[in-house]
């Protein structure tokens, strides 16, 4: 028996039977409204507040199957118990295929009441379970939306904080006289920008779990070029890339590697700070290749490392986090070709992560 009054709509062109069903079910905590036509029944359902529909097969000028077809257009329609005076099983099968939850054959005596009540209780349980599931799904979606909003706000604030730190480093670089210290601070600022730009891109992303690697690297290199131009250097950085989605942590590592390789090219390939550096991101099957090329004095990755070696340590550490390593192509002494091959399987989120 239901715990609260259940609103039942009984659609049947037999007014006498309609009153009988109303009195019969009222004793069991059901509130029954009776309408005598398909049109009136559909209008009442559209008005809302109906928990279960009892639908007669023969409605005079229409069929209960027509009503089922109309109700099928709305996924939120109440459960339907199909009632028929015919004992033909084909009618019941057709009604169930058309969307009815259950069916009851009209009989004389108490059997009809017992069968109808059993079908109603089944329909009520199913309705409550459906509504509970829908409410739970709605709450999960709402919680997810809140989490996404909060995460976007976190990324926005982190990006702003890193931008502030980068500005402080730039101010410090402008206040020192030592060229080595000035260069070290400029490199630090570039590393901060590499991380800050990623958080900025996540702030406007539809999915904070992945990053458009091509777009991220493009914005990173553009900002890097502008910062170098402001310091008096005039490098020309070319960038070509195919679309590649990468996990956020992997993208940060790739961004830092690209920054270090471009910095090394400008520092050592072109001591005066002017020259072309070409950065590319290509894909061949499940392999993604990052390449940084210059036309400078040339470096094969062997011999004594110039400078403090911090940049090389950063590149090696980031490469290990990507399960890769940096290699240098033999160019015959004409420029430097730094190449890193990455597995797309390790870069991109799995199907379960992207769900």
């Amino acid at each position: 028996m239901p715990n609260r009054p259940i609103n039942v709509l009984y659609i049947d062109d037999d007014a006498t039977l309609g009153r009988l069903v109303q009195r019969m079910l009222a004793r069991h905590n059901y509130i029954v409204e009776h309408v005598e036509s398909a049109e009136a029944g559909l209008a009442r359902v559209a008005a809302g507040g109906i928990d279960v529909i009892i639908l007669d097969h023969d409605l005079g000028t229409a069929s209960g199957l027509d009503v089922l077809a109309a109700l099928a257009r709305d996924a939120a329609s109440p459960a339907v118990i199909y009632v028929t005076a015919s004992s033909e099983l084909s009618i019941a099968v057709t009604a169930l295929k058309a969307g009815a939850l259950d069916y009851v054959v009209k009989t004389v005596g108490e059997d009809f009441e017992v069968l109808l009540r059993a079908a109603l209780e089944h329909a009520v349980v199913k309705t409550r379970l459906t509504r509970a599931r829908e409410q739970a799904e709605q709450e999960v979606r709402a919680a997810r939306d809140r989490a996404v909003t909060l995460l976007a706000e976190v990324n926005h604030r982190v990006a702003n904080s890193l931008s502030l730190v980068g500005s402080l480093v730039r101010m410090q670089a402008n206040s020192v006289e030592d060229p080595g210290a000035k260069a070290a601070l400029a490199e630090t600022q570039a590393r901060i920008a590499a991380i800050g730009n990623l958080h900025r891109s996540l702030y406007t992303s539809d999915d904070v779990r992945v990053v458009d690697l091509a777009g991220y690297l493009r914005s990173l290199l553009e900002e890097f070029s502008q910062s170098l131009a402001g310091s008096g250097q005039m490098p020309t950085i070319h960038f070509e890339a195919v679309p590649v989605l990468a996990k956020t942590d992997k993208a940060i590592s790739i961004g830092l590697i690209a920054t270090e390789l471009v910095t090394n090219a400008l520092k050592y390939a072109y001591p005066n700070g002017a020259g072309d550096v070409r950065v590319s991101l290509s894909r061949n099957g499940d392999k993604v290749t990052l390449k940084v090329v210059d036309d400078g004095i040339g470096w094969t990755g062997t011999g004594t490392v110039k400078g403090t070696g911090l940049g090389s340590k950063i590149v090696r550490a980031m490469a290990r986090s990507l399960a890769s390593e940096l290699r240098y192509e033999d160019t015959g002494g004409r420029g430097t070709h730094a190449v890193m091959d990455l597995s797309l399987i390790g870069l991109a989120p799995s199907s379960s992560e992207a769900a």
Side-chain angles (χ1 to χ4, degrees):
M1 181 180 295
N3 297 322
R4 65 167 180 81
I6 299 298
N7 295 318
V8 178
L9 178 64
Y10 182 39
I11 306 175
D12 193 333
D13 64 343
D14 188 334
T16 301
L17 185 57
R19 289 190 295 271
L20 176 62
V21 170
Q22 284 180 309
R23 289 196 302 269
M24 180 177 66
L25 294 180
R27 298 195 301 266
H28 304 286
N29 210 25
Y30 292 99
I31 299 174
V32 182
E33 299 180 44
H34 174 230
V35 295
E36 298 182 14
S37 68
E39 293 78 8
L42 291 173
R44 180 61 188 87
V45 172
I50 298 299
D51 297 306
V52 183
I53 300 170
I54 302 175
L55 176 62
D56 188 42
H57 174 64
D58 187 0
L59 299 175
T61 59
S63 167
L65 296 175
D66 298 327
V67 177
L68 282 175
L71 293 173
R73 301 188 189 104
D74 184 0
S77 293
V80 176
I81 299 171
Y82 206 72
V83 176
T84 174
S86 173
S87 59
E88 292 185 18
L89 186 59
S90 60
I91 295 178
V93 172
T94 302
L96 293 173
K97 288 182 177 179
L101 174 65
D102 206 344
Y103 76 95
V104 176
V105 177
K106 291 181 182 179
T107 58
V108 178
E110 295 182 355
D111 287 350
F112 178 58
E113 179 181 352
V114 172
L115 292 172
L116 188 59
R117 282 180 53 201
L120 277 171
E121 291 174 4
H122 176 211
V124 168
V125 170
K126 182 179 184 299
T127 298
R128 286 175 174 167
L129 289 175
T130 299
R131 289 178 177 173
R133 185 188 70 245
E134 291 173 350
Q135 182 178 358
E137 290 174 350
Q138 184 178 2
E139 291 174 353
V140 169
R141 287 192 296 269
R144 179 186 179 279
D145 291 342
R146 287 194 298 271
V148 169
T149 300
L150 289 173
L151 188 54
E153 181 63 22
V154 167
N155 281 311
H156 180 55
R157 295 188 180 188
V158 170
N160 286 344
S161 297
L162 289 172
S163 179
L164 175 60
V165 172
S167 297
L168 293 174
V169 172
R170 183 173 62 253
M171 293 173 61
Q172 186 68 46
N174 293 335
S175 67
V176 299
E177 299 296 334
D178 181 77
K182 189 181 291 289
L185 289 171
E187 292 172 17
T188 299
Q189 182 189 351
R191 292 161 186 152
I192 294 171
I195 302 173
N197 276 347
L198 182 127
H199 285 281
R200 189 173 296 111
S201 66
L202 289 179
Y203 175 62
T204 58
S205 173
D206 293 331
D207 188 346
V208 296
R209 294 166 296 182
V210 294
V211 175
D212 172 15
L213 198 53
Y216 166 54
L217 290 177
R218 188 180 304 279
S219 64
L220 178 63
L221 294 173
E222 287 176 353
E223 183 171 327
F224 188 43
S225 296
Q226 293 172 4
S227 66
L228 290 175
S231 66
Q233 294 177 297
M234 298 299 294
T236 301
I237 302 176
H238 304 277
F239 180 64
E240 293 184 0
V242 297
V244 175
L245 290 179
K247 300 176 187 177
T248 54
D249 58 331
K250 305 298 184 184
I252 288 178
S253 298
I254 295 171
L256 286 171
I257 290 171
T259 299
E260 294 300 327
L261 293 177
V262 172
T263 299
N264 286 342
L266 296 176
K267 285 172 59 178
Y268 304 119
Y270 306 112
N272 61 359
D276 288 351
V277 179
R278 297 179 294 282
V279 182
S280 64
L281 188 70
S282 60
R283 176 178 172 180
N284 183 11
D286 289 337
K287 185 177 75 172
V288 176
T289 300
L290 173 69
K291 183 178 290 190
V292 179
V293 175
D294 65 63
D295 301 317
I297 59 177
W299 168 253
T300 61
T302 60
T304 303
V305 176
K306 297 181 179 180
T308 63
L310 177 60
S312 298
K313 292 178 181 178
I314 292 175
V315 170
R316 285 196 298 270
M318 294 299 101
R320 281 196 299 271
S321 71
L322 295 168
S324 181
E325 62 179 357
L326 182 68
R327 59 184 174 85
Y328 290 89
E329 294 180 340
D330 185 6
T331 63
R334 300 177 57 184
T336 301
H337 291 195
V339 181
M340 182 172 291
D341 294 323
L342 305 163
S343 170
L344 185 62
I345 297 175
L347 283 182
S350 64
S351 57
S352 59
E353 291 172 317

